[in-house]
Every structure is written in structure tokens, then in C-alpha cells.
Amino acid sequence: VVKAIKSIWTKYPSLKNRIHFALVSKTDLDANFNPREIEDSDIIVVDIMGIRISTPTQSGFAREAIQRAISQGARILPINHSAGLDKEYADLGLIYDEEFRSYFDYGGPDNFQNMVLFSLAKYQDISGIPVEPPRIQMKEGYYHRHKSQAMFFETFEAYKNWYRKEGYFKEKAKWIAVLTYPSFCEQDQNEVEDDLIRALEEKGCNAFAAFGYPEGAVVEKLLVDAGGVSRVSGILSFLFRFSDFKATNALEKCGVPAINLITVYGKDGKAWENDPEGLSSLEVSWQLAIPEIAGLIQPTVVSYRIRERDDETGFFTEQRKPIPERVNCAANRINAWVNLQRKNNSDKKVAILYWN
């Protein structure tokens, strides 16, 4: 969001004094944000997946503030998808403009910028702003950062050819995949994945990030070749937070160790580092239990959420930040698992630790 606003100010400097932007995050709402502050807005964009509006059956952002804003002429434009509450939100007065919403669904900073410009042109009659149609983003594929540029590939063959051409490929080295969500790539929030790939390559591995959703389909399409053979010897995964029991079948087709990577969201970085509890009880369920059901092992925290103030806009942004020693730990762990898998059983020394 902040990138989009800064880009708009650069391209259309006249809008900087003409349009007042306010950014309200979930963290702001949890910190006693006054809902009445939105009532004099002309356009309000609401992420209805991240922020729920109160209804007769659920608590959430003040319904009364939404109603007062609408009564004063505000256009409330929802983005993302609610958990079966679309009709109730539409009855409340939210405008489900599918053309507007398509910009968000396609993802990426450029589409978000054009979504904002589209709303200004359509709902505020601001002329002289050329609005481009949504740009189609790759929803699944392979990723690697090369000389500060994000490189995306639709097929493994295309990725491998590029990987070899640029000098990354190592003959007879094992391949390790880092599984991640497409939203991180769309938002250029993949610093953690970049560090993981770099750490794996420094340890003698060939590596790539594979992104997409749903999780099982990503594994079957991107990690297994047409003959049913796994392309990788190990997996580091941010995926499988929202998976079903069928996800296990997809991982079994790879037949390789898959380590659960964790970005801490329930606490910011400093709070997590100083808190002996570690993950919150809520995060234990979806960051540990659900991935374990899918087949992931050895959960490893490698990054956390950090909130920083952008000096130019004054807005607070939330970023995923890698923890260098934990990134290195994850790379060492998957290497150890792959080496163990390749050893003859007679050469293995295994200790089984049991916590009661």
C-alpha cells in the first residue's frame, strides 16, 4: 500500500495536496483506534478478510461507524474475500465493484496503485488520471532474485536453463525447494526466501522458491515431474497453514523431508525475542499443528513481522524480516535430513527423544 501511494505521488504530484490518504492496519485497530475517524472519508477501502465488520452474529470493526460514513456519502469498497459475509456486507451498503476488486485479486504494487487511481476517477470524478487495466500476475511458478531483480519462471525447465546460464547450477548437487505464498512475491515481500536460497547455495545446494496455491497442487505441479519423480531432495515450506488432509498425499509423492518454516505474526520481532513463551497459543494451532498434519516436520522460526514508520508518508508498514542465524539453522537442518536420507541404514545413528 505504501509503495503504491508513494508511486502515485511521484507520478501525479498534484494529488499529494488534493487527496489525503490514511492507512489503518489491524495493529492500529487492536491499539484502540477510534472508528469515528473514518466517518468523514469519501472512499474507504476495507480488506474484509483481514478486518471483519461487526454484525448481529460477530464482533468486529464498528458497524455504526460504517453506517454513519455511508450516510455522509462515503463509498465503502471491499477487497479480498469474507468468510460467507458478502451478502450481509452488501446489505449494509458496501459496494462490490467487481472491476475495482479485480485489481486487488490480480495482486502486486502496480495493480494496487491502479486500483486506487480507478477509485479516484470513478467515485471522485478526478479527471486527467490514466487508469491502466489490471495486469495479470503469475500465480504459480519458480522464483529467484538475481542482481536485485526478481526473476519468475513458469516451468522448471526454463528455470533450470536460466539457473545454469547465470552460473548458479552445480553439477550433481541436490535440489532444495523453498515453498511460499504468491502474495509474498506479488508484494515483493520475499527477503526471507532470498536469504534462504542464498544460504542453501552457499552450502553447495541448487535451490529455488516455488510459489502458488493451493498447497497440494503446488507440490504436484512444481516439485514432481511428468514421470512422477521428485525434482527435489528436500523442502523448506512456509505453505500448508490452511491445508486439508489431502495435502499429505501431495508431499508423499515427493517422498523427501519437508521442514516447516515459520514467520511469527502474533508478536513483532522485539516482543518475540524477549518473550519466553515464543509463539502465541493461536499461532501454535495454525503454524504448528496444521502443517504437522500435512506432513511437515521440525518447525523452525526464520522470520518475524516488524512494524516500521515510512519517513516520506508517515505511515507504518509491516514487513517480514529474516533472522540470519535462524535462516542458517534451517539450511543446515534440511541439509542434515537429506544427508541422513542418502546414507545406508547401517551407517545411520538415530536418537529418538520423547517429551512427556
Side-chain angles (χ1 to χ4, degrees), residues 38-39 44 53-54 61-74 76 91-94:
I38 72 165
E39 292 177 12
I44 301 172
I53 300 170
S54 64
F61 186 81
R63 179 188 185 94
E64 296 75 16
I66 294 288
Q67 290 173 322
R68 284 192 289 267
I70 293 174
S71 70
Q72 295 180 43
I76 316 289
D91 291 343
L92 179 60
L94 276 65

Side-chain angles (χ1 to χ4, degrees), residues 170-234:
K170 303 173 186 67
E171 293 289 347
K172 298 183 180 180
K174 53 185 171 283
W175 282 93
I176 306 295
V178 178
L179 299 184
T180 192
Y181 289 101
S183 58
F184 295 151
C185 295
E186 292 166 358
Q187 300 166 13
D188 198 26
Q189 284 252 6
N190 37 24
E191 183 182 351
V192 188
E193 289 79 359
D194 294 341
D195 283 6
L196 285 163
I197 290 173
R198 193 177 302 113
L200 290 166
E201 290 172 341
E202 289 174 352
K203 296 178 188 303
C205 303
N206 295 317
F208 60 80
F211 62 92
Y213 189 83
E215 293 100 332
V218 173
V219 171
E220 292 189 33
K221 184 173 181 179
L222 301 182
L223 303 192
V224 180
D225 68 18
V229 177
S230 176
R231 293 185 171 115
V232 298
S233 299

Side-chain angles (χ1 to χ4, degrees), residues 158-178:
Y159 178 85
K160 188 175 180 180
N161 289 337
W162 170 86
Y163 199 74
R164 185 188 298 272
K165 178 183 176 183
E166 295 298 335
Y168 293 106
F169 182 76
K170 303 173 186 67
E171 293 289 347
K172 298 183 180 180
K174 53 185 171 283
W175 282 93
I176 306 295
V178 178

Side-chain angles (χ1 to χ4, degrees), residues 18 41 80 83 89 91 96-97 127 135 189 210 212 216 275 296 301:
R18 189 175 178 184
S41 302
N80 222 324
Y89 287 167
D91 291 343
Y96 279 75
D97 184 328
S127 59
R135 299 178 183 177
Q189 284 252 6
D275 190 342
L296 270 59
V301 172

